Structures are given as C-alpha cells and as structure tokens.
C-alpha cells in the first residue's frame, strides 16, 4: 500500500522524524501526528547527495522549487554544509582576488591622480567604464559566465540610464577626492555609506528601521567627525567631494531597489554593469572633452615621454572590471554574513596598505575615529540582520 508523508517534526533530542499514513486517502494533521506514540515514529530516509535539506516543503517558493532566501544566479540547490577542500581553496582564491583588485584599483587611482600627476579623473573613469563595457560583453556573450538578460522596455532602459548617471557621479567624485585626500581618510568617509543609505531609504520610500538600527549609525557619523578633526592632511574641498561620492553611492543603491523592483526588470550585477557601463562612457565622453581640455593629446604626449602611462591606464581599467567581477563571484559563493565581515575588513586592510605604501601622516585621533566608524558599521549590519 502507498505511503504518504504528511509531516516533518523535530523531537526534543533534535532528531527529525517523518510521520506517515499508510493510506493515500487518509488525511492527518500535524496536531494529530504529534499524538502518535514515539514507538511508531520512523526516521526519514537520508537525502540524496548534494540535495537541499528542508524542514518544511512550504519553505520553497511555490512553483519554482527554489529557496526564496537564495536569489539571482546563486539560487537553486543549497550548498552542502561540508565544503570540499577544492571548493574552499576556490573561495579563498576568489576572496584574495576581490581584495587585491579592490585595493589595487584604489591605490593605483591614488598614485595616478596624486603622485604621478595624471590629473584627469573624468578621463580615468571613462577608461574604467570602457573596459567594463568590453569585458562585460566578453564575459557574458562569449564566455557565458551568466545568462544574458535583455532590456525589455524603453522605460527599463531609462531607469538603467538614471542609475548609470548617478554611478558616474559617485565614481568620478570618488576619484577627484583621491587627488586631495589620503586613501585612509577616503576610506573612513566611505564607511559612512550605511548612514546615507538609511537617510535616502527613509526620504524616498518612507521605510523606517528599528530604533536600534538608527542608534548604531551614531558611532558611524561620530567616528568620521573625530577622524576629520585628527586628519593631518585634511582638505575641505576633497572632504566635500568625498562626502558627495559616498552619498551618490548610497542613492544609487536605494534607487536601484526602487526602479528595478519588479521581477521582469531585475538584473544581476553582471548584466546591470553590461548596460550601465556603455551609457556611462557616452555620458563621460563629452564631460571629459569639455572639462578636461585636450586630455587625449596630453595623454599621448605623456606616453611619448613615459610609455608606462599607457600600461598604467590599461592595467587600472582591467582592475576596475575585475573589482565588479570578483564582487559578483564572492557574493555568489559566500554567505551574506561572510560577505559583511569581508567587506568591513577590506576597508581596514586598504587603510593599512595605503599607509605603508604612500607613508601619509596619520594621527592616533584619526585612527580612533576610523575604528569607531568601522565599529558602528558592524553594529549597523548586525542590527539590520536582526530586524529582518
């Protein structure tokens, strides 16, 4: 006679058991099943290799067989708790590449714009976006790293163009700030992104967080104020531009959640970059020609004197794409908690490396301020997770 699984319950000793009915036509509730004596309990069969272990079929999104907690291209079967050594080494390699590309492009930007004397941040950003356009197409269309998602409507294109415009502002302003501020102080200001995200989310969506979440933002802002007062290389214009870049980055994040919220319009980060980067090039080209007069001629003249500038620009542009690629892959292959921890640590590593390389003066007050900001970001991340 057929067996019908009707409930999955957990015993007090943390052992999961299946209650079954010997008749397909007989219906039992979980309450009735709970009254079945333990002697008639039977353990469930072991799950097949690499299968997802779920405590209740209702945890799956109806009609898809996917866990709703997993989104994007990482969705589907949940990873096995025991990670194979090869998978662990692959993940470690991804994280190392993510750190190296992030810190590398930041330090190389600083070197070019401040130490080397290449004072053209808009042109530099346009080089980044050009590389992202070409390499994104290669990765998606040729290498098939992710399925290509198409733009389905004119409205969706306008939304992506809006995000691209704000993205341009955040990157250009961030590069401009590197001309005037040391990397350590730049990273301290950038750590305040959660504060601006919470502000824009409240103003644009009227979304209120738990009061504890807002309290955790106090040390985030206080730390930057302390770091500003103790920064030996403080530059007012650079500070204002860096604040604007951080706010623009937060605004893009909030707008992206609003504009691309429908299922038909959602794009993974690889496809979004594929469409945003060419739009950014179109926006930046007239800006660099007007605001950075004769930048192409000056760059070619620099190349005749020192051809390394061409290699610097090519390598820097490739790193800019690698930042986006490794960020996508690390997000796909690690948990949300791991990503938060790695993200918080990355800024601190960048600060230490930049001080060692550029030997910019630092003060105890400035470092304490930055530490307080990072501590606030950690508290904020934890509060956000608990409020969900």
């Amino acid at each position: 006679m057929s067996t019908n699984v009707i409930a999955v319950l957990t015993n007090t000793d943390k052992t999961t058991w299946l209650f079954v009915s010997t008749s397909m036509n007989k219906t039992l509730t979980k309450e009735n099943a709970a009254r079945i004596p333990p002697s008639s309990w039977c353990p469930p069969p072991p799950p097949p290799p690499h299968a997802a272990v779920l405590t209740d079929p209702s945890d799956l999104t109806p009609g898809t067989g996917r866990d709703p907690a997993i989104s994007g291209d990482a969705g589907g079967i949940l990873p096995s708790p025991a990670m194979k050594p090869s998978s662990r080494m692959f993940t470690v390699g991804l994280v190392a590449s993510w750190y190296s590309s992030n810190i590398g492009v930041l330090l190389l930007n600083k070197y070019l714009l401040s130490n080397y004397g290449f004072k053209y941040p808009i042109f530099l950003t346009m080089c980044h976006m050009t590389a992202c356009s070409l390499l994104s197409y290669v990765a998606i269309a040729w290498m098939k790293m992710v399925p290509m998602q198409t733009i389905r409507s004119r409205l969706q294109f306008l939304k992506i163009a809006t995000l691209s415009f704000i993205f341009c502002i955040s990157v250009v302003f961030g590069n401009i700030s590197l001309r005037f501020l040391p990397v350590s102080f730049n990273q301290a200001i950038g750590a305040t992104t959660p504060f601006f995200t919470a502000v824009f989310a409240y103003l644009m969506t009227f979304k209120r967080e738990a009061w504890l979440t807002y309290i955790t933002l106090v040390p985030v802002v206080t730390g930057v104020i302390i770091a500003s007062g103790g920064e030996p290389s403080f530059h007012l214009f650079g500070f204002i531009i860096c604040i604007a870049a951080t706010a623009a980055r937060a605004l893009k994040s909030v707008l992206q959640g609003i504009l691309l919220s429908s299922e038909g319009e959602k794009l993974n980060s690889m496809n979004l970059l594929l469409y945003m980067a060419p739009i950014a090039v179109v926006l930046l080209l007239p800006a660099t020609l007007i605001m950075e007069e004769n930048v192409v001629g000056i760059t070619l003249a620099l190349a005749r004197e020192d051809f390394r500038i061409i290699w610097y620009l090519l390598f820097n542009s490739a790193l800019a794409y690698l930042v986006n690629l490794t960020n996508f892959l690390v997000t796909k292959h690690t948990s949300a908690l791991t990503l938060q921890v790695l993200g918080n640590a990355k800024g601190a590593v960048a600060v230490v490396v930049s001080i060692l390389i550029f030997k910019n003066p630092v003060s105890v007050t400035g470092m304490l301020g930055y530490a307080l900001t990072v501590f606030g970001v950690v508290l904020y991340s934890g509060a956000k997770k608990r409020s969900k």
Side-chain angles (χ1 to χ4, degrees):
M1 192 171 291
S2 301
T3 297
N4 180 28
V5 179
I6 58 146
V8 180
L9 298 178
T10 302
N11 194 17
T12 54
D13 63 354
K14 306 301 180 183
T15 304
T16 302
W17 300 85
L18 296 179
F19 294 105
V20 300
S21 169
T22 56
S23 172
M24 291 294 291
N25 298 323
K26 186 177 181 180
T27 302
L28 296 177
T29 64
K30 288 186 177 182
E31 288 75 14
N32 292 333
R35 289 194 286 269
I36 297 177
S39 59
S40 60
W41 293 6
C42 58
H50 309 299
V53 180
L54 299 168
T55 57
D56 193 324
S58 64
D59 289 339
L60 294 175
T61 303
T64 65
R66 294 166 64 90
D67 192 311
I70 308 295
S71 61
D73 295 292
I77 301 298
L78 294 175
S80 174
M83 185 182 290
K84 295 181 180 179
S86 58
S87 299
R88 189 180 297 111
M89 290 304 298
F90 176 73
T91 304
V92 170
L94 274 182
V95 172
S97 299
W98 184 43
Y99 267 49
S100 300
S101 58
N102 269 271
I103 297 173
V105 76
L106 180 67
L107 298 181
L108 193 49
N109 283 348
K110 173 64 177 176
Y111 174 74
L112 287 172
L113 294 168
S114 183
N115 298 63
Y116 189 85
F118 188 80
K119 301 177 181 180
Y120 305 102
I122 302 177
F123 180 77
L124 182 62
T125 306
M126 191 185 73
C127 291
H128 291 178
M129 293 300 105
T130 302
C132 288
S133 302
L134 297 174
L135 295 176
S136 291
Y137 185 80
V138 170
I140 296 175
W142 291 359
M143 299 177 64
K144 309 292 184 184
M145 293 189 68
V146 295
M148 180 175 284
Q149 298 171 284
T150 58
I151 296 179
R152 300 187 178 185
S153 66
R154 183 180 179 182
L155 179 60
Q156 187 184 13
F157 173 79
L158 292 175
K159 291 177 179 179
I160 293 173
T162 302
L163 293 175
S164 183
F165 175 71
I166 299 172
F167 180 58
C168 285
I169 292 176
S170 68
V171 177
V172 170
F173 279 22
N175 286 336
I176 291 174
S177 70
L178 286 173
R179 284 187 57 190
F180 304 97
L181 300 177
V183 173
S184 54
F185 190 42
N186 177 280
Q187 289 295 288
I189 298 172
T192 61
T193 301
F195 168 77
F196 291 102
T197 302
V199 170
F200 285 126
Y202 179 76
L203 294 177
M204 301 177 70
T205 67
F206 302 105
K207 178 184 177 182
R208 292 188 177 183
E209 302 287 352
W211 62 271
L212 183 61
T213 305
Y214 288 118
I215 288 178
T216 60
L217 292 173
V218 174
V220 173
V221 178
T222 304
V224 170
I225 294 174
I226 294 173
S228 302
E231 176 55 50
S233 306
F234 181 83
H235 190 286
L236 181 59
F237 177 74
F239 175 77
I240 294 172
I241 290 294
C242 194
I243 287 287
T246 306
R249 187 160 56 246
L251 177 61
K252 174 191 168 290
S253 176
V254 174
L255 271 180
Q256 185 173 325
I258 297 173
L259 297 180
L260 302 179
S261 58
S262 66
E263 287 298 324
E265 292 182 334
K266 283 183 179 178
L267 300 173
N268 62 47
S269 59
M270 293 281 284
N271 276 274
L272 185 59
L273 182 66
L274 173 66
Y275 295 117
M276 283 203 315
I279 297 172
V281 173
V282 172
L283 294 173
L284 291 169
L285 180 58
T288 189
L289 293 177
I290 295 171
M291 301 175 67
E292 298 174 336
E293 189 176 351
N294 197 30
V295 62
V296 177
I298 294 172
T299 303
L300 292 175
L302 281 172
R304 284 192 290 268
E305 297 177 7
D306 183 5
F307 195 75
R308 289 181 303 171
I309 184 64
I310 300 298
W311 294 114
Y312 286 150
L313 292 175
L314 289 175
F315 181 63
N316 194 24
S317 300
L319 272 182
Y321 173 71
L322 192 59
V323 168
N324 292 279
L325 176 62
T326 54
N327 185 72
F328 172 79
L329 293 175
V330 169
T331 303
K332 182 177 179 180
H333 290 279
T334 62
S335 66
L337 177 60
T338 302
L339 195 65
Q340 281 183 359
V341 173
L342 292 174
N344 292 331
K346 178 167 60 66
V349 173
V351 168
V352 173
V353 173
S354 69
I355 293 173
L356 293 175
I357 292 177
F358 296 110
K359 295 180 172 52
N360 56 283
V362 293
S363 66
V364 175
T365 303
M367 287 296 97
L368 287 176
Y370 178 65
L372 181 60
T373 296
V374 173
F375 177 67
V377 171
V378 173
L379 292 179
Y380 173 81
S381 301
K384 284 279 289 184
K385 186 178 179 181
R386 284 193 295 271
S387 65
K388 288 182 179 179

